[in-house]
Amino acid sequence: MSANPVKSMDEIMSLCKRRGFVYPASEIYGGINGFWDYGPLGAQLKKNLRDAWWQDVVMNPCWGRSGPDGNPVEIVPLDSCIIQNPKVWEASGHVGGFNDPMIDCRETKARYRADHVRAVSGKGKRHEAPVFAFIKDSPAEAKQRKAADKKFGDEQEEFDLIELGTDFAHVLGPDAKELGTLTPPRAFNLMFKTYIGATATEDDIAYLRPETAQGIFVHFKNVIDTTRVGVPFGIAQTGKAFRNEVTPRNFTFRSREFEQMEIEFFCHPDQAKDWYAFWRDWRMEWWKSLGLAGDNLILREHDRDELAHYAKEGAGTSDVEYRFPFTAPGFGELEGIAHRTDFDLRQHAEHSGLGDKLKYFDSTRGEPAPNGQPKGEKYFPHVIEPSAGLDRGVLAALCEAFTPDPERPSGVYMKFHPRLSPIKAAVFPLVKKDGMPEKAATLASALRKKFGHLGAIEMDEKQSIGKRYARMDEAGCPFCFTIDSDTLTDDTVTVRHRDTLAQERVAMDAVPAFLGEKLGV
Ligand code: GAP
């Protein structure tokens, strides 16, 4: 168990709403389950995380480190459509197999993911006594557990409801009053359907992508043919993905519309194990570099029986996981790193009819020809896939940053890593007179020119200085620069440090260099 106290998710959500990080989507119409919008601070926070990924993955892959083959890591970007030819999703297995087991309650009309429903019964009496079912970590859990305690006392056992099979006659649903109102689990495809064109017949069905990955696989050959990259190399993209989750929950953690940041890294099958280990370890380091350090972050290798169909033959799958307040003491997945083998390229080779044309010709491999040069080898590269959730990353950053502090007027401050802070600096005139607002405006404008591409530079002259600091603490702004009467005589400003509350004086013309150094740019 961690020394970190578990933070209150209610307080974090309340700050997110109050300060404009995250709003419920369509809120004025009562919201829409599983959809969230980002307010002004949240939109910039999310952009900063996406930009950090883009910079460290695409522009300067792995911080300039060499891969296991001793060469620099090569990655090129892509931006593919949300809607693809439906055959893409047949080939990838999503039409046939992207299902969750779903249970309905006939009494309450509630719908549950069968693998999220747990149950308690009296030991050895599963089919005679009532079985109390509940959703783990939900308000209904306490109610059902209390009922089970009353009925069975210490003589209880807990199990997954799907272990029970389909005989739910004795089961009391998580929110139900009557016994036996749950339906047996049935497969529910998670892809959102839509229609292309005006006729809207079965032939016009298309799907919103459930992952960005397939857009990359279908362009593997195009990228090889139109750039100078060769295996081993990666293709990376960020973008929206959609899943009609049976039970969206835990704030933005399980949403129906979310954004992914995915790399498909193509390598020779013999090198897959080394590249898998390389990506797994670097991705963990990357998340740590953004302030998700300590024992709230773990790297977890999957057990063989947890592996997705495409990873079964591979070197493994691991998750970078964060201890969210709603998972504590457990962890929730931020990113999966999977060895997908050559599953996807083979599937697309078969379904598109391209066959061996999708194979890669590697001129550096194969037996030596009479001229001493390798003859070359044709193969389907294997794929290592680090697939991260942007919204989950933002949520982890929000949870990690949230720092209660009763000594501050705000009672809390957001200790974002400076790279992620949506507001990079604030400039305050102490009072609204004596030329202070003008000086503040000049400084703010100089800082915006230099740092505006990284985040906001706030200029605020309303309310007391204490209230303005409190606002910046809740927004997670790392540095506030205050123009006061001394500035008018010696051209220095006060810098207030968010985390330590320390204050120091800096020459006004040294502020850009000061901030640049602190932001690491
Ligand atoms: N291409 C592989 C793939 O999509 P995944 O584990 O299903 O793998 C990758 O998804 C990441 O996308 C997850 O680690 C998670 O961060 C994010 N993600 C998946 N489903 C999500 C959801 N319903 N809401 C928010 N993020 C989700």
Side-chain angles (χ1 to χ4, degrees):
M1 183 68 191
S2 144
N4 292 326
V6 175
K7 299 172 185 176
S8 154
M9 204 56 219
D10 285 346
E11 285 176 23
I12 294 172
M13 288 172 71
S14 150
L15 181 136
C16 282
K17 175 74 202 300
R18 186 169 77 246
R19 291 311 319 270
F21 281 101
V22 183
Y23 306 131
S26 314
E27 192 183 13
I28 62 170
Y29 293 102
I32 171 165
N33 197 9
F35 297 88
W36 297 90
D37 291 336
Y38 291 85
L41 287 181
Q44 186 63 45
L45 172 64
K46 189 173 173 182
K47 179 176 184 300
N48 289 351
L49 183 55
R50 190 194 299 110
D51 286 353
W53 184 91
W54 191 265
Q55 169 63 20
D56 297 348
V57 165
V58 187
M59 294 295 121
N60 182 27
C62 310
W63 304 320
R65 257 180 218 180
S66 300
D69 58 358
N71 295 318
V73 179
E74 258 197 299
I75 308 272
V76 289
L78 188 87
D79 185 353
S80 70
C81 282
I82 285 170
I83 294 183
Q84 302 279 336
N85 187 314
K87 286 185 185 148
V88 168
W89 309 112
E90 282 164 28
S92 67
H94 285 88
V95 170
F98 194 50
N99 302 318
D100 273 346
M102 180 183 77
I103 289 175
D104 284 306
C105 177
R106 282 186 287 262
E107 179 191 321
T108 62
K109 308 290 175 231
R111 174 164 285 181
Y112 309 104
R113 226 173 94 173
D115 56 333
H116 286 171
V117 184
R118 311 264 305 149
V120 266
S121 71
K123 274 192 183 139
K125 293 191 217 163
R126 258 186 215 182
H127 294 281
E128 296 112 53
V131 170
F132 297 94
F134 59 89
I135 305 284
K136 214 156 171 31
D137 308 321
S138 76
E141 176 176 0
K143 193 190 88 194
Q144 296 295 67
R145 279 187 181 277
K146 225 162 123 191
D149 277 350
K150 214 163 138 197
K151 179 87 188 161
F152 306 120
D154 291 340
E155 287 293 293
Q156 309 186 13
E157 69 174 338
E158 191 177 312
F159 53 92
D160 289 324
L161 197 64
I162 34 181
E163 275 177 28
L164 236 182
T166 53
D167 176 13
F168 290 167
H170 296 272
V171 176
L172 182 67
D175 307 290
K177 294 200 177 69
E178 303 276 320
L179 276 183
T181 60
L182 295 182
T183 63
R186 63 194 163 93
F188 172 71
N189 192 288
L190 296 188
M191 279 198 296
F192 276 101
K193 273 188 193 160
T194 186
Y195 296 92
I196 296 177
T199 48
T201 68
E202 285 291 299
D203 293 338
D204 306 315
I205 286 179
Y207 303 95
L208 306 192
R209 67 179 174 200
E211 60 173 16
T212 64
Q214 296 304 324
I216 294 179
F217 293 124
V218 297
H219 282 305
F220 170 70
K221 192 167 159 36
N222 270 340
V223 172
I224 290 285
D225 292 347
T226 56
T227 68
R228 291 172 74 84
V229 290
V231 171
F233 77 102
I235 306 179
Q237 79 168 325
T238 68
K240 291 273 187 169
F242 301 81
R243 295 183 190 176
N244 201 357
E245 297 284 357
V246 177
T247 44
R249 61 191 175 134
N250 289 334
F251 201 20
T252 58
F253 183 82
R254 191 176 305 286
S255 306
R256 289 179 163 142
E257 174 176 341
F258 56 96
E259 196 166 332
Q260 292 185 315
M261 307 186 289
E262 297 201 287
I263 308 163
E264 306 304 326
F265 193 83
F266 301 91
C267 61
H268 188 275
D270 290 351
Q271 293 186 331
K273 220 171 161 193
D274 292 341
W275 279 108
Y276 166 71
F278 172 84
W279 279 109
R280 180 197 58 198
D281 296 345
W282 184 71
R283 293 305 301 150
M284 178 71 177
E285 264 191 74
W286 185 80
W287 285 107
K288 278 189 191 165
S289 80
L290 295 171
L292 301 185
D295 54 8
N296 278 341
L297 197 73
I298 56 161
L299 186 65
R300 188 178 71 82
E301 199 82 34
H302 280 212
D303 297 332
R304 291 287 338 155
D305 58 2
E306 277 182 88
L307 297 183
H309 57 285
Y310 52 72
K312 287 256 188 261
E313 306 303 320
T317 295
S318 38
D319 287 345
V320 176
E321 297 185 342
Y322 180 74
R323 184 182 357 235
F324 292 95
F326 48 81
T327 57
F331 294 81
E333 176 185 336
L334 282 184
E335 171 163 351
I337 299 99
H339 175 198
R340 290 181 80 119
T341 68
D342 54 7
F343 174 84
D344 303 87
L345 286 180
R346 278 186 188 279
Q347 287 294 106
H348 290 302
E350 187 191 325
H351 285 251
S352 66
L354 281 178
D356 282 357
K357 289 197 191 116
L358 262 195
K359 280 188 174 168
Y360 176 69
F361 178 72
D362 192 336
S363 59
T364 67
R365 290 179 176 266
E367 300 289 307
N371 66 2
Q373 295 300 312
K375 277 185 182 156
E377 183 186 331
K378 271 187 123 185
Y379 57 88
F380 285 112
H382 273 210
V383 169
I384 309 302
E385 177 194 67
S387 170
L390 176 55
D391 304 80
R392 285 196 189 170
V394 169
L395 185 56
L398 284 164
C399 293
E400 186 72 20
F402 184 88
T403 313
D405 179 359
E407 304 299 314
R408 299 187 187 220
S410 54
V412 63
Y413 66 107
M414 296 299 277
K415 198 175 176 177
F416 292 121
H417 187 282
R419 211 173 168 195
L420 297 184
S421 296
I423 303 178
K424 298 299 181 206
V427 183
F428 300 146
L430 186 63
V431 288
K432 230 168 139 181
K433 57 179 189 186
D434 300 335
M436 290 184 207
E438 290 75 11
K439 272 201 178 285
T442 306
L443 179 58
S445 162
L447 295 181
R448 275 182 200 130
K449 274 197 198 112
K450 201 160 175 209
F451 304 106
H453 61 294
L454 301 175
I457 304 293
E458 185 102 344
M459 150 89 186
D460 189 358
E461 50 186 41
K462 295 188 206 110
Q463 297 186 306
S464 71
I465 193 76
K467 283 199 173 134
R468 283 181 271 169
Y469 284 153
R471 274 190 70 243
M472 286 302 105
D473 277 349
E474 283 197 326
C477 168
F479 304 102
C480 296
F481 299 97
T482 302
I483 314 288
D484 54 23
S485 53
D486 286 348
T487 314
L488 307 178
T489 54
D490 64 7
D491 255 340
T492 62
V493 297
T494 300
V495 189
R496 175 188 183 265
H497 296 248
R498 176 196 65 201
D499 299 345
T500 58
L501 296 180
Q503 302 205 358
E504 59 180 310
R505 295 227 38 116
V506 176
M508 199 158 129
D509 58 9
V511 169
F514 172 93
L515 189 58
E517 194 218 311
K518 298 289 179 198
L519 297 178
V521 291

